[in-house]
Amino acid sequence: VSGLHGGCVTRPSDKVRDYVAALCAVRRASDARFDLPAGSTRARVTSANARLQAACEHRDRLRRSLTNEEEAEAETIAARKTR
């Protein structure tokens, strides 16, 4: 449940939900890359970088289809999920 519209509680649109999922995927990929231990192999680091890059590109593609209001709504929802 994300907001009010005409006194009724509304659910986020599919675009917003997809963007929230993409934001969470970027967070997970970033955390996984950050959590690599010192001395990790080049292959592990390269793979983690590639996963993070792919997640960021997907997030950016979805962002281009959102209005500023939808993006703000998604950011709010994603922030609540990461607390």
Side-chain angles (χ1 to χ4, degrees):
V1 180
S2 68
L4 294 176
H5 181 68
C8 299
V9 176
T10 60
R11 295 197 176 281
S13 68
D14 288 342
K15 289 191 312 184
V16 170
R17 281 196 304 269
D18 291 345
Y19 187 63
V20 168
L23 289 172
C24 292
V26 167
R27 171 63 65 123
R28 283 191 306 275
S30 177
D31 289 348
R33 194 216 175 283
F34 181 79
D35 291 340
L36 286 174
S40 292
T41 64
R42 183 181 300 175
R44 283 186 184 255
V45 173
T46 300
S47 294
N49 286 340
R51 282 189 292 275
L52 178 56
Q53 182 64 31
C56 288
E57 289 172 355
H58 181 64
R59 177 206 56 204
D60 294 346
R61 279 191 302 274
L62 292 175
R63 167 56 190 105
R64 287 191 289 273
S65 70
L66 298 176
T67 65
N68 290 337
E69 292 79 17
E70 289 171 327
E71 181 183 17
E73 178 184 7
E75 296 277 351
T76 300
I77 293 167
R80 277 186 266 159
K81 287 183 173 232
T82 59
R83 285 187 195 163

